[in-house]
């Protein structure tokens, strides 16, 4: 940057200086331009042309611009790419500016603060999260977390303490999947807090001043308008309070250019302990919100279950699935409600029909509060509020428990509805500048102006007829153009008939155009009144919008109740449609399923689904080893057990004929390398969590799913690892389902209490396998690898030859000849078994213990 800048660039740098790490969109004529490095980044992100403009001293300044009328679309793409954008507008009319037009940043848009529908996903939250560490040692620090969704008005805090706080913080961040994460500068450079994938959150580093340790509580008290935080449950949580204050600071109107935090009024404090832990790995492997094969939602659990009718219901249902409950009382309250709705098809249909017409109340309330709601938004709000009385009546009557409570929370908001009805026309326009927003009768002053316009226009409309009559000129016309306004047009041959009070204004090819003083006067009245009407409508609309904005908290409370009703009705609807049953959920140690199904495979699989029973407890059925050939159905069975537990604890019915679910505190999954279809995707946490996390964190209340672990290394290492892990899990006493092709693990059942062998039954017909898909007691002694190879389409000669080799190898190993790999494992296995009885000093056991446990 040289010193002798042009005035324009001097102004640019004055402003840019305040927004160093934000893309500055600088209004120049009909474009928003970016300069210097911003231009390079913008051109690349938007795939637009990078040009340049002369700076000072012959320097060329890189420049990339977007047309202002399409700004929203481009900004949306910059935000989607994780950028933050400051919009710098001209704040005076260029026609009247002396010298350089004044410019100012009017809005800062960041991934966590967007409100425009075009930049939001309807069915997902858009969380802005602040994380505050307790000390400089980040790895051991406790953390305060504040979570806000500016688009829906949610605002919550929590603290992360206890062992491995960093891991728990990451788990919670993974669950929240924030769009934007606010961190102290020094933490922002920590690679473990920054996911490498573009789909992850944008990290926004904040300077030390943004972390107001001392004044945080005061800031929060003031914002919430209270004397104490006790009512919000976070009085004793200084880190959480500080995090909340960081969010409020970041959303200050001076920073973002709008009232972004006004509606964040009902702060809730939540505990990470109230919910089942489902880390990113488990969510991914169980395909809770995304299918592994295509990353899509359709074939995920969420895609199957979610038939909510409103966006806020969809967001809540997603949260329920991602965060199942631990308290049987709360779970059963949801199940009771689902049962009531499931058992009454008529009522459920009526409720869902009303919900279908309900707009996104959370986002509408938020836009009202931030002053960004359009007339059409308030129209949608009115339409939605109109549904409340019927909705409440439908829910209230004859229901008990949670539904009764939801009904009670459905405040009718008739004052707001009535205000909107009085103020707005039936179909409010998309934008304020379109006009025609306010209903006649709402404002006498506005009505007077409108009457004046109407009368003036009518006078003008009649003018043609009266003047034709008065002058006898049959072809006389009254017209309008933008330059001269209204005129009377007389064709040339009739000009001699023109009366004296006509003043000639314009000559055209074959006519003359005139005005009269009366016409001028009427015209002035009309245009003057129209301008005033526009101003007045804009003003009245802003008043109505602010009135709604001030009541955002009430609207949001109703929105929450509607969301809950919607999610419960969706659980009920899905349960009925897919033939789910109500599970018995309690604190006991037993998980027992009769004819359980994997709901997604059942729905999308190509063959009729074969249901299976299941039993896990704290005695003989703690660790189930499940063997069977490739493609038999092992993975499906494991996941179906986990999904049924998850659904039950989320409060939904489950795909089974009967289910008894003892609460599970956490579901772990680990999938061997070859089955890990998504490896190479966002696995930034996987390394950190998987094995270590299971072995360190599993309790006897946990459910552990191990699918083909130990593949991808040599057989020898793989088996050893699998063996050691199984043994360790058996000691912890967690409920474990272990699918493996190492049928040698079947020996564990004889060695350790609580281990049971199962296999997926198949039938051999000649050289073919028929899949029975039935889980039956007992182990397997062979892998059917060759038969599966046939199924996969290997040529017959190859298969025949494989059969020969196998027979050979088996014979050799029996005769003590050259040991086949089978035989070597057998040998190893015998050693391992021996050592189980001499635990103190065996080198092989030490070796096994040392292998890949953390
Ligand atoms: P494995 O893990 O034993 O290799 P999978 O669980 O991946 O086998 O199952 C292979 C395929 O078989 C699945 O994609 C599914 O289509 C089908 N399948 C599995 N279990 C069942 C079942 N119980 N009923 C019907 N089809 C099933
Ligand atoms: Mg499998």
């Amino acid at each position: 940057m040289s010193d002798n800048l042009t005035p324009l660039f001097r102004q640019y740098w004055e402003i840019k200086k305040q927004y160093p790490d934000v893309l500055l969109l600088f209004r120049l004529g009909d474009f928003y331009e970016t300069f210097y490095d911003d231009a390079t980044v913008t051109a690349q992100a938007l795939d637009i042309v990078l040009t340049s403009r002369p700076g000072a001293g012959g320097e060329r300044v890189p420049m990339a611009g977007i047309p202002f009328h399409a700004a929203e679309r481009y900004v949306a793409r910059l935000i989607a790419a994780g950028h933050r954008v400051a919009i710098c507008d001209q704040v005076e009319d260029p026609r009247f500016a002396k010298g350089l037009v004044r410019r100012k940043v009017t809005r800062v848009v960041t991934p966590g603060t967007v409100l425009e529908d075009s930049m939001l996903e309807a069915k997902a939250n858009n969380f802005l999260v602040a994380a505050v560490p307790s000390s400089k040692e980040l790895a051991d620090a406790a953390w305060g977390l504040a979570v806000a969704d500016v688009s829906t008005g949610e605002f919550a805090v929590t603290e992360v303490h206890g062992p491995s706080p960093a891991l728990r913080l990451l788990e919670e961040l993974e669950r929240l999947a924030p769009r934007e994460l606010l961190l102290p500068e020094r933490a922002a450079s920590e690679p473990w807090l920054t996911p490498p994938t573009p789909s992850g959150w944008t990290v926004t580093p904040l300077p030390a001043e943004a972390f107001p340790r001392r004044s945080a509580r005061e800031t929060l008290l003031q914002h919430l308008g209270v004397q104490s935080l006790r009512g919000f449950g976070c009085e004793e949580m200084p880190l959480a309070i500080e995090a909340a204050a960081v969010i409020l600071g970041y959303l200050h109107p001076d920073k973002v250019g709008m009232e972004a935090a006004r509606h964040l009024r009902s702060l809730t404090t939540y505990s990470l302990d109230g919910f089942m832990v489902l880390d990113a790995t488990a969510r991914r492997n169980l395909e809770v919100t995304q299918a592994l094969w295509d990353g899509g939602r359709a074939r995920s659990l969420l895609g199957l279950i979610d038939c909510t009718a409103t966006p806020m219901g969809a967001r809540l249902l997603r949260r329920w699935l991602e965060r199942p409950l631990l308290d049987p009382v709360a779970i059963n309250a949801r199940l009771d409600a689902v049962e009531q709705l499931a058992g009454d098809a008529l009522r459920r249909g009526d409720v869902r029909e009303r919900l279908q017409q309900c707009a996104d109340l959370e986002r509408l309330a938020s836009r009202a509060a931030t002053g960004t709601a359009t007339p059409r938004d308030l129209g949608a709000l009115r339409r939605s509020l109109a549904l409340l009385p019927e909705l409440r009546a439908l829910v209230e009557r004859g229901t008990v428990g949670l539904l009764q409570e939801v009904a009670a929370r459905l405040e009718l908001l008739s004052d707001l509805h009535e205000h909107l009805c009085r103020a707005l026309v039936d179909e409010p326009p998309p934008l304020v500048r379109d006009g025609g927003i306010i209903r006649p009768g709402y404002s006498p002053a506005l009505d007077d102006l409108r009457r004046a316009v109407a009368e003036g226009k009518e006078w003008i409309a009649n003018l043609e007829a009266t003047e034709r009559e008065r002058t006898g000129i049959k072809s006389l016309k009254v017209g309008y153009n933008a330059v001269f306004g209204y005129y009377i047009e007389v064709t040339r041959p009739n000009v001699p008939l023109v009366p004296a009070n006509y003043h000639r204004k314009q000559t055209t090819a074959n006519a003359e155009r005139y005005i009269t003083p009366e016409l001028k006067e009427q015209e002035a009245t009309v245009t003057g009144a129209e301008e005033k009407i526009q101003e007045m409508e804009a003003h009245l609309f802003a008043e109505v919008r602010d009135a709604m904005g001030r009541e955002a908290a009430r609207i949001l409370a109703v929105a929450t109740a509607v969301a809950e009703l919607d999610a419960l009705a969706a659980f009920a609807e899905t349960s009925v449609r897919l033939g789910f049953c109500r599970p018995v959920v309690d604190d006991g140690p037993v998980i027992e399923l009769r004819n359980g199904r994997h709901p997604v495979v059942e729905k999308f699989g190509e063959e009729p689904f074969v249901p299976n029973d299941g039993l896990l407890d704290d005695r003989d059925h703690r660790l189930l080893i499940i063997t069977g050939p490739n493609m038999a159905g092992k993975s499906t069975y494991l996941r179906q057990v986990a999904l049924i537990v998850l659904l039950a604890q989320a409060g939904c019915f489950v795909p089974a004929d009967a289910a008894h679910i003892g609460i599970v505190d956490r579901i772990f999954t680990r999938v061997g390398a070859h089955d890990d279809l998504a490896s190479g995707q966002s696995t930034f946490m996987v390394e950190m969590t998987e094995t270590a996390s299971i072995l360190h964190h599993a309790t006897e209340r946990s459910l552990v799913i191990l699918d083909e672990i130990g593949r991808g290394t040599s057989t020898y290492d793989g088996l050893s690892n699998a063996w050691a892990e199984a043994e360790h899990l058996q000691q912890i006493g967690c409920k474990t389902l272990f699918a493996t092709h190492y049928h040698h693990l079947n020996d564990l059942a004889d060695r350790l209490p609580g281990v049971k062998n199962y296999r997926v039954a198949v039938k051999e017909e000649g050289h073919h396998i028929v899949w029975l898909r039935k889980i039956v007691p007992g182990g397997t002694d062979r892998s059917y690898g060759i038969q599966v190879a046939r199924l996969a389409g290997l040529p017959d000669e190859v298969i025949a030859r494989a059969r020969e080799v196998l027979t050979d190898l088996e014979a050799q190993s029996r005769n003590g000849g050259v040991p086949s790999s089978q035989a070597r494992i057998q040998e190893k296995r015998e050693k391992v078994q021996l050592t189980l009885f001499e635990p103190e000093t065996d080198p092989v056991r030490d070796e096994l213990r040392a292998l890949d446990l953390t």
Side-chain angles (χ1 to χ4, degrees):
M1 196 194 343
S2 58
D3 283 338
N4 53 342
L5 288 168
T6 61
L8 184 77
F9 277 117
R10 204 167 304 133
Q11 186 188 41
Y12 174 82
W13 280 111
E14 273 303 306
I15 296 170
K16 177 65 192 170
K17 185 163 86 197
Q18 302 159 41
Y19 299 91
D21 44 9
V22 172
L23 296 175
L24 183 66
L25 301 190
F26 193 76
R27 180 73 182 266
L28 260 189
D30 284 345
F31 281 80
Y32 285 112
E33 298 289 357
T34 53
F35 298 110
Y36 301 96
D37 291 348
D38 284 2
T40 323
V41 173
T42 305
Q44 209 196 6
L46 297 178
D47 198 13
I48 55 175
V49 187
L50 184 65
T51 58
S52 65
R53 175 188 179 98
E59 172 203 33
R60 302 289 304 180
V61 176
M63 171 169 102
I66 57 178
F68 90 96
H69 60 83
E72 181 172 328
R73 200 152 42 85
Y74 284 107
V75 170
R77 282 168 58 195
L78 289 171
I79 297 296
H83 296 290
R84 286 172 288 140
V85 174
I87 295 171
C88 178
D89 278 310
Q90 297 170 341
V91 288
E92 59 185 341
D93 192 324
R95 284 177 298 174
F96 308 122
K98 292 195 206 78
L100 208 54
V101 184
R102 270 194 306 123
R103 291 185 173 80
K104 205 177 107 186
V105 169
T106 51
R107 172 96 193 268
V108 177
V109 189
T110 74
T113 58
V114 295
L115 284 165
E116 291 74 5
D117 271 339
S118 60
M119 305 184 205
L120 289 168
E121 217 184 300
K123 293 185 172 188
N125 272 108
N126 199 75
F127 286 131
L128 170 69
V129 172
V132 177
S134 63
S135 71
K136 293 212 158 48
E137 284 305 317
L138 294 183
D140 304 322
W143 292 81
L145 269 188
V147 185
D149 186 338
V150 178
S151 72
T152 64
E154 279 153 277
F155 193 23
V157 292
T158 190
E159 284 187 357
V160 186
H161 295 279
S164 350
L167 194 67
R168 298 187 69 195
L169 171 71
L170 269 183
E171 281 165 7
E172 181 58 6
L173 288 174
E174 280 278 337
R175 186 188 68 75
L176 291 166
R179 283 289 296 281
E180 185 174 3
L181 174 62
L182 309 177
L183 286 173
E185 260 156 5
R186 68 198 152 79
S189 53
E190 288 288 326
W192 60 274
L193 277 165
T194 314
T197 55
S199 60
W201 51 80
T202 298
V203 170
T204 300
L206 296 178
E209 312 84 87
F211 292 80
R213 188 141 296 181
R214 273 172 222 288
S215 58
R217 186 166 172 277
E218 195 45 45
T219 307
L220 204 54
L221 288 177
Q222 226 165 49
H223 174 80
L224 298 169
V226 290
Q227 303 287 316
S228 150
L229 294 171
R230 213 158 293 283
F232 297 98
C234 58
E235 180 71 275
E236 316 290 336
M237 300 170 76
L239 290 170
I241 291 171
E242 187 179 344
V246 170
I247 294 240
L248 293 180
Y250 189 69
L251 294 178
H252 194 278
D254 292 349
K255 298 256 172 63
V256 289
M258 61 173 184
E259 284 281 357
R262 188 163 77 166
H263 57 306
L264 303 181
R265 285 274 175 251
S266 60
L267 184 69
T268 51
T269 303
Y270 71 101
S271 151
L272 296 183
D273 303 328
F275 303 97
M276 179 202 278
V277 181
L278 268 179
D279 57 31
T281 312
R283 272 205 311 276
R284 190 165 55 92
N285 283 327
L286 297 176
E287 307 180 284
V288 177
T289 56
Q290 281 188 338
L292 282 172
W293 69 291
D294 65 349
R297 182 177 186 278
R299 293 190 178 196
S300 66
L301 182 69
L302 177 66
L304 184 77
I305 302 291
D306 179 13
C307 61
T308 49
T310 68
M312 58 265 184
R315 291 191 294 268
L316 183 65
L317 184 138
R318 180 192 180 116
R319 218 175 311 162
W320 284 359
L321 289 185
E322 287 181 330
R323 218 159 52 152
L325 302 172
L326 294 180
D327 174 14
V329 176
I331 295 170
N332 280 305
R334 274 191 206 164
L335 288 170
D336 286 342
V338 172
E339 187 172 328
Q340 289 170 50
L341 289 166
D344 188 344
L346 214 61
R347 183 206 301 256
R348 190 174 71 246
D350 283 347
V351 166
R352 284 171 51 79
E353 203 183 298
R354 302 299 181 292
L355 290 172
Q356 232 105 41
Q357 300 163 44
C358 188
D360 196 334
L361 281 172
E362 287 178 340
R363 288 195 170 151
L364 290 175
S366 300
R367 285 208 284 266
T370 51
T372 53
T374 64
R376 184 168 283 177
D377 284 341
L378 292 198
L381 177 61
R382 179 176 61 193
R383 212 167 353 96
S384 307
L385 297 184
L387 303 165
L388 295 175
E390 278 185 70
L391 205 52
R392 185 161 93 179
L394 275 169
V395 183
E396 209 165 34
R397 221 176 314 118
T399 56
V400 290
L402 188 55
L403 282 181
Q404 202 37 255
E405 208 181 286
V406 168
R409 275 163 35 215
L410 279 176
E411 199 207 332
L412 299 186
L413 302 177
S414 37
D415 54 330
L416 304 187
H417 180 248
E418 187 269 335
H419 188 174
L420 290 172
C421 287
R422 245 185 326 117
L424 302 183
V425 297
D426 285 343
E427 293 288 339
L431 299 170
V432 175
R433 67 158 178 268
D434 297 333
I437 306 164
I438 303 295
R439 187 186 291 281
Y442 182 65
S443 155
L446 181 64
D447 291 346
D448 286 348
L449 285 169
R450 282 181 170 150
R451 199 170 311 117
V453 170
E455 282 167 8
K457 284 196 168 163
E458 190 175 299
W459 185 88
I460 292 169
N462 290 336
L463 189 63
E464 204 169 88
T466 49
E467 291 299 292
R468 277 184 189 174
E469 177 120 341
R470 180 160 83 93
T471 60
I473 307 173
K474 290 268 165 331
S475 61
L476 178 145
K477 272 202 218 106
V478 174
Y480 178 86
N481 82 28
V483 181
F484 294 107
Y486 288 100
Y487 55 79
I488 301 169
E489 190 174 86
V490 176
T491 49
R492 185 117 332 115
N494 292 313
V495 165
L497 298 174
V498 160
N501 70 334
Y502 279 30
H503 299 285
R504 197 162 57 84
K505 212 48 207 165
Q506 190 191 11
T507 306
T508 66
N510 41 24
E512 297 285 348
R513 290 176 176 175
Y514 303 89
I515 52 161
T516 66
E518 297 77 27
L519 179 55
K520 256 295 145 262
E521 198 186 309
Q522 291 293 348
E523 180 184 341
T525 315
V526 168
T527 33
E530 273 176 337
E531 262 168 37
K532 272 195 211 130
I533 286 173
Q534 209 182 16
E535 257 170 51
M536 195 177 280
E537 280 211 300
H539 177 74
L540 290 169
F541 174 73
E543 270 180 11
V544 177
R545 185 179 61 199
D546 288 348
M548 298 302 133
R550 277 191 300 277
E551 301 297 332
R554 283 168 69 207
I555 304 174
L556 288 172
V558 168
T560 311
V562 171
E564 209 165 324
L565 177 62
D566 192 13
L568 290 167
F571 271 177
E573 179 73 20
T574 301
S575 297
V576 170
R577 269 193 224 163
L578 301 182
F580 289 5
C581 79
R582 178 174 179 161
V584 175
V585 178
D586 61 24
D587 259 335
V590 178
I591 293 176
E592 192 169 6
L593 309 174
R594 187 147 47 75
N595 285 332
R597 285 121 53 204
H598 187 303
V600 181
V601 175
E602 179 179 39
K603 168 102 184 193
F604 297 106
E606 276 152 25
E607 33 184 315
F609 196 88
V610 178
N612 272 301
D613 295 346
L615 174 64
L616 285 154
D617 60 23
D618 58 347
R619 310 169 69 91
D620 296 343
H621 288 79
R622 272 181 281 165
L623 169 59
L624 311 188
I625 308 269
I626 297 158
T627 45
N630 251 329
M631 292 301 291
K634 301 183 294 298
S635 302
T636 307
Y637 181 68
L638 261 50
R639 286 171 172 77
Q640 105 189 14
V641 174
L643 289 178
I644 288 174
V645 170
L646 189 159
L647 279 174
Q649 289 186 223
C652 187
F653 284 14
V654 299
D657 288 352
H660 183 167
I661 309 293
I663 300 286
V664 158
D665 64 356
R666 175 161 190 164
I667 298 177
F668 292 94
T669 65
R670 190 167 163 218
V671 176
H674 284 255
D675 261 21
D676 187 353
L677 299 176
S679 63
Q681 286 187 16
S682 158
T683 53
F684 85 103
M685 259 193 69
V686 174
E687 291 308 317
M688 217 174 141
T689 48
E690 285 200 347
T691 312
S693 161
I694 298 180
L695 298 184
H696 290 310
H697 300 294
T699 73
E700 52 195 17
R701 302 230 62 135
S702 307
L703 176 64
V704 179
I705 301 293
L706 301 176
D707 195 357
E708 303 276 11
I709 58 168
R711 268 155 76 146
T713 65
S714 73
T715 312
Y716 182 93
D717 286 351
L719 175 57
S720 316
N721 281 350
W723 186 286
E725 273 198 47
E727 211 183 64
H728 194 99
L729 290 167
Q730 187 273 341
Q731 278 168 18
I732 294 172
C734 46
K735 298 184 175 62
T736 308
L737 292 168
F738 193 157
T740 181
H741 65 294
Y742 294 123
H743 41 80
H744 311 88
L745 287 174
N746 283 152
D747 294 357
L748 276 169
D750 302 331
R751 309 265 159 236
L752 300 172
V755 182
K756 279 272 178 290
N757 290 329
Y758 286 87
R759 68 195 152 87
V760 190
V762 293
K763 196 164 75 185
E764 275 183 275
E765 286 181 350
H767 287 322
H768 293 272
I769 296 184
V770 178
W771 308 118
L772 299 177
R773 312 276 184 225
K774 265 292 172 200
I775 308 288
V776 297
T780 324
D781 53 1
R782 39 184 310 204
S783 66
Y784 298 88
I786 293 174
Q787 285 90 333
V788 174
R790 169 188 292 276
L791 274 184
L794 253 64
D796 284 351
E797 310 90 80
V798 176
I799 294 189
R801 175 64 189 140
R803 216 177 288 286
E804 271 170 40
V805 174
L806 181 65
T807 318
D808 257 19
L809 286 174
E810 281 170 357
Q812 275 176 4
S813 91
R814 269 196 301 277
N815 302 337
V818 185
S820 65
S821 62
Q822 291 273 326
R824 260 189 303 172
I825 288 184
Q826 181 65 27
E827 212 179 282
K828 170 88 186 175
R829 191 170 110 221
E830 273 152 14
K831 277 194 209 157
V832 171
Q833 283 165 13
L834 275 175
T835 61
L836 289 173
F837 299 98
E838 317 156 51
E840 301 308 332
T841 55
D842 190 273
V844 179
R845 187 182 165 104
D846 291 347
E847 191 193 328
L848 280 175
R849 284 239 178 266
L851 280 167
D852 196 35
L853 277 177
T854 48

